[in-house]
Amino acid sequence: EVDMSQNANLRDIKTEAFLDAEKLHIIKFSPALKNETVNVGQRAFVNTAFETMGDSTKEFDLTAAKFNATPQGLAFAWMPNLRTLDIPRNFSNNTIPVATFYNDTNLEEVTVDYKITLIDNGAFVNDTKIKKVFIWGNTVVKNDGLEGYTAPEWFGQGGDDDDDTDAEPVDPVNPA
């Protein structure tokens, strides 16, 4: 466990900061960072033990700050234990950059907030166990943004999650 809850001045998680921290499964951030941008360097969390990342999870709360992943930086790549991912509205300037979740081979379920406007090329390359993806809103999925999923049990795209006017699920990669 890493406790950074007393560090209200954190603005950068450096390149390879937690590279190969194979037992790292909980990280805590200061509540003062809630509306601050924290840049995440290349390979910062490669080969860590997080199983769940997302909204208010005790392992890695992606809403604790505005995390900005370096494009093509593999910031959250090669995370063998990651199973569930809930990407909040303020992640990486409302995009999921190229190769951010590359080769997270046990990732099974992904939820994307309606404020995320783009899942870029290769964002989830080689994440071959993805079974469920839910994308709120009108997120654009570039060419191979979800490359690696084969036959998800459910793949949907709906309206924003702030009201009850959700659209019928649509596959943004292969729309009907």
Side-chain angles (χ1 to χ4, degrees):
E1 180 175 319
V2 172
D3 186 351
M4 294 194 286
S5 62
Q6 301 305 310
N7 187 351
N9 297 316
L10 178 70
R11 295 298 179 271
D12 292 293
I13 298 173
K14 301 291 184 190
T15 294
E16 299 182 351
F18 297 100
L19 177 68
D20 293 331
E22 295 175 359
K23 294 186 179 184
L24 177 59
H25 66 283
I26 296 176
I27 191 164
K28 296 178 183 175
F29 298 97
S30 169
L33 296 175
K34 189 75 170 171
N35 295 310
E36 301 296 331
T37 298
V38 175
N39 297 307
V40 181
Q42 294 183 341
R43 299 174 303 282
F45 290 96
V46 165
N47 202 23
T48 52
F50 299 104
E51 291 182 21
T52 303
M53 295 175 69
D55 187 2
S56 303
T57 65
K58 71 174 192 165
E59 291 185 27
F60 195 126
D61 181 358
L62 284 172
T63 65
K66 296 177 183 175
F67 292 102
N68 187 27
T70 304
Q72 299 182 352
L74 308 166
F76 301 101
W78 289 288
M79 296 175 72
N81 296 325
L82 187 61
R83 305 270 188 289
T84 306
L85 179 61
D86 187 355
I87 300 175
R89 64 187 63 195
N90 61 359
F91 186 81
S92 265
N93 298 312
N94 299 2
T95 67
I96 303 171
V98 173
T100 300
F101 296 98
Y102 175 82
N103 213 38
D104 291 339
T105 56
N106 289 305
L107 182 60
E108 297 175 350
E109 198 167 311
V110 178
T111 301
V112 178
D113 187 90
Y114 79 99
K115 293 276 188 175
I116 299 295
T117 57
L118 174 67
I119 298 175
D120 212 339
N121 291 324
F124 293 94
V125 170
N126 292 335
D127 296 353
T128 57
K129 291 188 180 175
I130 292 177
K131 295 177 186 172
K132 293 183 182 183
V133 176
F134 191 78
I135 300 172
W136 291 99
N138 296 313
T139 304
V140 173
V141 180
K142 280 208 172 167
N143 303 328
D144 60 354
L146 289 166
E147 180 183 316
Y149 84 92
T150 51
E153 295 170 10
W154 191 83
F155 190 108
Q157 184 164 358
D160 69 60
D161 59 355
D162 285 348
D163 62 28
D164 293 323
T165 60
D166 295 343
E168 288 298 312
V170 174
D171 181 339
V173 177
N174 302 300

